[in-house]
Amino acid sequence: MFKVPLYLILGGLIPSFAMPVLARWKKEACAPLTVLVCGVLFVLALCFGGAMIGGHQPIFQAVADWDPPWGIEIAIEPVSALMAVLITGLYLLIALFSCRALKKEMINQDSIGWYYVEFLLCMTAMLGLVITHDIFNMYVFIEVVGISAVALVVSKGDRYSTEASLKYLILATIGSGFILLAIGMLYMITGHLNMRFAGMVLAENAAHYPYMIWIMMTLFVVGFGIKSALFPLHLWLPDAHASAPSPSSAILSGLVVKVYIIALFKLFFIVFGNEFYQQSNIRILLLILGAAAMLFGSLFAFVQLDLKRRLAYSTVAQLGYIYLGLGLGTPWAIVAAFYHLVVHALMKTCLFLCAGAISYQTGRKKVTGLQNIGFTMPLTAASFTVAAFSMVGLPLTGGFISKYLLAVESMGASFPYFIALIVLSGLLNAAYYFPIIWQFYFVNEENPAGKRVFQRDKIPFTMQLPIVLTAVGIILLGTAGVIAYDYLQQIVLHFLA
Amino acid sequence: MNWDALMANFPYLVSVIVFGIGIIIVLTQSNLLKKVIGLNIMTSAVFLFYISFGNIVGGTAPILDPAAPAELYINPLPSGLILTGIVVGFSTSAFALALIVKLFSHYGTINAPDFMKMR
């Protein structure tokens, strides 16, 4: 039963389209149903992940019995199993959080059913994007992720989110125009849309089309770079992520920008091949832009006063680490990039959910107004502190391990100056996260002499649980990360063999 | 410069130029409707690219007639793919236009620089 990867896509698609009907009939049942669907898919993804850790061969399925290279092929490989577990797991937590949080954050309560349509559609398309092996099918999923992500932003309904989502939509469409052009060129050269077959033909004929392949790789990098907010193309990200409702921000910042990196990774390593990637100059471009993102993303985040905007710029900086790992190109650097991808998905989900919880209880949104949170909301503040420490890269958190691996690997790949950049970016992270934590615990303007006592958080249990679980996940990745590390090693060796 | 090769690949040259025109319109026009028109021009250029590389001069439609088999058939797949592309482009521009209507109801203008002043 669990050998059929197609259920991962259908399991989210069918409930998503049933949601408006359900919303007409029983509006309050939408959120619990979404949690249920995410839970079932999480169990299914865990089955695939368990099989992959157990050394099972990759599972291929030809959709509707059209065998490759003609039909669409979907495949569970180690990388797609990892992303499926990550996407469905975080979706389960965010769906749980959204049950109560959206009651306060959405302006139009009647459209709650439509919110969950795009919520589930986004998950389905992301799962499809990571498990598909057909390039044009990948393009379709990219568009579905793009449109449903825009819809997740605009669902708040105020003027800022509408403006930000139009900006996001226009830039995302430009990005997918580039990607579609590159896919056309790839089909023109190889005559295949299946990634493995296109890769085989390209390996034989690459020498005949040198310029074409450069153009193709550049178009792919620009297209996916716009969509995954690679540094100079990140202009849409801060507005969109800051003005969305907080569950949407967590999805957009934690997952949506990551799946495009996974798609780029699959294109580079299945279609173009490792050997070709190592020789190409685009690797150096990724290295430079990743390094610039680390520095400038942190500098921009430093001057923001809105909490969610600061977190959004921090995403730009952290994506730089992932691109830096890809750009270094050695197997261990790619392991580090994947480690950072997983850890950052957890950290950013935790931070955005904390921001949502703080504004739920206290209504505060500025970074200057967060005094005393450590005592009125101790669990939330503790989780925020753990995630912020992980962003900075302090030991015992997941962020430490990924940054340590990246630093070691930049030495190994004979780019030692990147160590200075990693340290500098870490210090900048500290410079904009520590003042927040300082205010949580050590600033008490209302009653400077009074002794403060810890109170209980006044947010619902369904909002508290996801925040605490993501923080626990970050600590687990930092202390018992060996299992994850071995698994990531297996992923990379599967591709770079 | 090899002019013959350039003229033989004339449709590709046109589609790349039209693609560039579309992007320039999106990036330089401040009117949001013009931006959407620019997006449509850009995606149309990609459609032109697909259709022109799918075509073979002298080929016929790929319908096999056993009585009189043709010598050369064109590849139907790029045209089929671009049907999907057209649907996607249509839905994107419909969504963008809906957002513009909503923005107009919030701000009373569709000129992008004016939004900054109204903040």
Side-chain angles (χ1 to χ4, degrees), chain A residues 269-333:
Chain A
F269 287 93
I270 299 179
V271 178
F272 294 101
N274 184 25
E275 208 176 314
F276 202 85
Y277 177 65
Q278 299 295 343
Q279 292 165 1
S280 63
N281 289 327
I282 208 84
R283 196 167 66 82
I284 309 297
L285 180 75
L286 286 184
L287 203 59
I288 294 169
L289 293 184
M294 280 159 57
L295 195 59
F296 290 103
S298 300
L299 281 176
F300 289 144
F302 188 62
V303 295
Q304 303 301 323
L305 287 180
D306 186 88
L307 178 59
K308 282 174 84 174
R309 241 182 130 72
R310 185 172 280 196
L311 295 179
Y313 269 110
S314 159
T315 300
V316 176
Q318 303 293 323
L319 289 170
Y321 286 94
I322 300 173
Y323 273 112
L324 182 78
L326 282 185
L328 286 172
T330 59
W332 299 112

Side-chain angles (χ1 to χ4, degrees), chain A residues 364-404:
Chain A
R364 298 179 197 163
K365 288 179 177 134
K366 294 277 174 198
V367 286
T368 46
L370 298 173
Q371 294 91 358
N372 230 355
I373 297 286
F375 293 90
T376 52
M377 309 176 70
L379 277 173
T380 310
S383 310
F384 191 98
T385 310
V386 167
F389 279 2
S390 177
M391 280 285 174
V392 177
L394 294 185
L396 294 183
T397 56
F400 171 72
I401 294 189
S402 59
K403 289 184 187 188
Y404 174 74

Side-chain angles (χ1 to χ4, degrees), chain B residues 2-36:
Chain B
N2 191 347
W3 287 104
D4 291 340
L6 202 62
M7 293 320 281
N9 295 324
F10 190 63
Y12 306 144
L13 187 68
V14 171
S15 64
V16 168
I17 290 171
V18 175
F19 190 85
I21 291 173
I23 286 189
I24 289 170
I25 291 175
V26 176
L27 295 183
T28 55
Q29 294 295 321
S30 59
N31 189 320
L32 292 177
L33 278 178
K34 287 184 184 169
K35 275 186 197 286
V36 175

Side-chain angles (χ1 to χ4, degrees), chain A residues 84-96:
Chain A
V85 171
L86 189 69
I87 291 170
T88 48
L90 285 180
Y91 247 85
L92 179 60
L93 297 178
I94 296 168
L96 206 59

